[in-house]
Amino acid sequence: MTCFFIGFFEKKNLVGISIAQFLNLNKLESFGERDKCIKTTVRNFIFKNFCSHVLFLGNNMLTGQNAFVFDKHLETKKGTHLLYQASEEIKKILKKKGTKVHITTFKDFEEEEINDFTSPQFKQLYRFSTQPNMVFTVNQNWNSFDDYIASLSKKYRDQYKRCRKKAEGIHKQKMNLEEIIAKEETIYKLYRHVAQNAPFNTFFLSKNHFSKLKEKLNDRFLFYGYFEEEQLIGFNTLIKNGSQMDTYFLGYDEKVQREKMLYLNMLYDMIAYSINKGFEAIIFARTALEIKSSVGAKPIEMFGFIHHANAMINKKMDRLFCYLEPKTEWKERNPFK
């Protein structure tokens, strides 16, 4: 991954910033190993041969509008037009280095945000909808995690009690930088297990990713380890982002996860922390949509634009996109009374 940081200026005044990420997917040893089927094989062939150089306008490591921020002096519709121009400049920079961008994509935006992309250039791009962003909104009447539990219907209160009982013998520990570094090998092994068993990946984190993030973000980055008899068997991470909490990457031992309902316990722990600390929302992102729904997260439809450099392929983008973003069937739950 190569990152680009973009500044928008009005005369000498900085009035907007943006991030772009270039990914060379040919360097990935795996796009994800969970699904073994013909469609997955076709997808991998397409990526390796026609879509391996991808430019994201936005942050591919987070879900939601993390692409740009403009101040009041720069109208959003004008800013998105400048963002398109910036993407063209980045492609020129990469071309001079001998790298051609296959796919350019602008992501992730909610419906009202995508309506600010009004420049004629965006009409030439394929507008897509991705898997929803699962967002947990904290009820203003909840003053503590106990209030959340009291608001659950009997079925989901029973789910919570069963989940907590399963996790008896496991203790959670907030880990500092030195402790993260000391457990780095185990942390990376747990992360890779989850990442490789995902249906699809466009990157793998480096081994020291979590320690570096802790070093840079300090108290805004939370790392929780889950231990059984002093053995680290799972972890989750959170990023404080203003009034909302962004869930980040996690890892676990699959055998323990099944026996101890570890993932569901992690979700409850994230909710408890966020409510007790006064956060307004938790961004649970994509994947595991149904289980996140079962704890109270709601789906928010997300949109973006995508374009392929090959005109013939670009005309078939509607068909190609189903391979780039496989559809997930799931049932939405409502855990509240």
Side-chain angles (χ1 to χ4, degrees):
M1 180 187 290
T2 303
C3 293
F4 296 85
F5 302 95
I6 305 159
F8 301 95
F9 292 84
E10 188 173 45
K11 295 182 180 178
K12 291 186 178 181
N13 297 319
L14 183 67
V15 294
I17 54 173
S18 180
I19 185 174
Q21 296 171 336
F22 171 73
L23 275 66
N24 182 354
L25 301 183
N26 282 321
K27 294 188 177 182
L28 276 182
E29 69 270 28
S30 168
F31 291 119
E33 298 173 5
R34 190 190 75 182
D35 299 334
K36 307 288 186 182
C37 62
I38 292 175
K39 189 172 182 178
T40 302
T41 304
V42 172
R43 179 202 67 192
N44 293 351
F45 175 81
I46 290 171
F47 259 97
K48 284 289 185 184
N49 292 277
F50 304 107
C51 307
S52 57
H53 293 170
V54 185
L55 178 64
F56 286 96
L57 275 297
N59 191 337
N60 192 38
M61 301 166 78
L62 293 170
T63 301
Q65 203 295 78
N66 295 286
F68 59 80
V69 60
F70 306 135
D71 76 8
K72 61 183 179 181
H73 299 292
L74 180 57
E75 184 187 8
T76 303
K77 290 179 180 179
K78 183 178 180 181
T80 57
H81 172 67
L82 294 172
L83 188 64
Y84 181 89
Q85 292 180 326
S87 72
E88 294 298 301
E89 289 299 317
I90 292 171
K91 284 188 270 189
K92 289 177 185 177
I93 292 169
L94 290 167
K95 188 175 181 180
K96 285 180 181 178
K97 296 180 179 180
T99 301
K100 181 180 179 180
V101 173
H102 298 143
I103 284 182
T104 305
T105 182
F106 299 76
K107 55 138 343 235
D108 289 310
F109 308 100
E110 295 181 23
E111 190 162 12
E112 60 271 23
E113 295 168 336
I114 201 73
N115 291 332
D116 286 321
F117 290 76
T118 57
S119 297
Q121 294 93 331
F122 287 107
K123 293 180 181 177
Q124 303 169 29
L125 278 59
Y126 176 68
R127 175 172 161 168
F128 63 85
S129 175
T130 65
Q131 288 183 24
N133 182 13
M134 299 301 289
V135 177
F136 182 96
T137 302
V138 176
N139 190 310
Q140 292 181 346
N141 295 321
W142 296 339
N143 296 312
S144 68
F145 184 58
D146 288 340
D147 293 332
Y148 162 77
I149 298 300
S151 71
L152 298 174
S153 65
K154 183 181 182 305
K155 175 183 176 181
Y156 289 96
R157 269 202 317 279
D158 289 344
Q159 172 182 279
Y160 169 76
K161 292 174 184 176
R162 185 171 67 254
C163 174
R164 290 310 204 196
K165 189 171 181 60
K166 285 274 190 178
E168 288 177 357
I170 292 177
H171 72 274
K172 183 182 74 168
Q173 177 183 324
K174 189 176 183 180
M175 297 174 66
N176 60 29
L177 177 59
E178 291 73 24
E179 290 167 334
I180 294 169
I181 292 171
K183 296 286 186 181
E184 204 147 66
E185 290 289 337
T186 303
I187 288 168
Y188 192 67
K189 182 180 177 182
L190 295 170
Y191 155 73
R192 285 285 298 209
H193 173 79
V194 173
Q196 286 183 311
N197 284 281
F200 186 57
N201 289 306
T202 54
F203 62 86
F204 287 102
L205 302 176
S206 58
K207 189 172 290 186
N208 66 347
H209 179 83
F210 298 107
S211 59
K212 283 296 179 183
L213 204 59
K214 183 63 176 175
E215 182 184 317
K216 298 297 182 184
L217 294 184
N218 205 331
D219 291 339
R220 287 186 293 141
F221 178 66
L222 304 176
F223 190 105
Y224 286 97
Y226 289 74
F227 293 82
E228 186 174 37
E229 297 180 353
E230 306 307 314
Q231 175 68 32
L232 181 67
I233 46 88
F235 72 89
N236 66 52
T237 55
L238 297 163
I239 297 174
K240 297 177 183 178
N241 187 3
S243 63
Q244 72 182 30
M245 184 68 80
D246 284 352
T247 62
Y248 202 50
F249 293 94
L250 53 76
Y252 48 69
D253 180 307
E254 180 59 37
K255 184 173 181 292
V256 177
Q257 137 63 15
R258 287 196 305 269
E259 290 177 0
K260 303 290 187 177
M261 299 177 72
L262 189 58
Y263 181 72
L264 186 55
N265 271 288
M266 288 180 179
L267 294 182
Y268 286 128
D269 287 340
M270 293 173 188
I271 292 170
Y273 182 91
S274 300
I275 293 174
N276 292 336
K277 295 296 183 179
F279 287 88
E280 295 176 4
I282 309 168
I283 309 303
F284 275 130
R286 300 188 177 95
T287 72
L289 305 179
E290 195 160 326
I291 192 170
K292 289 171 181 175
S293 176
S294 78
V295 299
K298 294 292 183 183
I300 305 295
E301 194 171 11
M302 305 302 291
F303 300 89
F305 292 99
I306 191 167
H307 177 265
H308 199 287
N310 183 300
M312 292 297 292
I313 295 177
N314 196 55
K315 286 182 180 179
K316 305 292 185 182
M317 185 53 75
D318 56 338
R319 297 182 187 178
L320 177 63
F321 190 76
C322 70
Y323 288 98
L324 306 184
E325 182 78 19
K327 190 173 181 180
T328 301
E329 298 292 338
W330 67 289
K331 184 176 180 180
E332 185 174 354
R333 307 290 180 177
N334 177 24
F336 301 113
K337 294 176 183 175

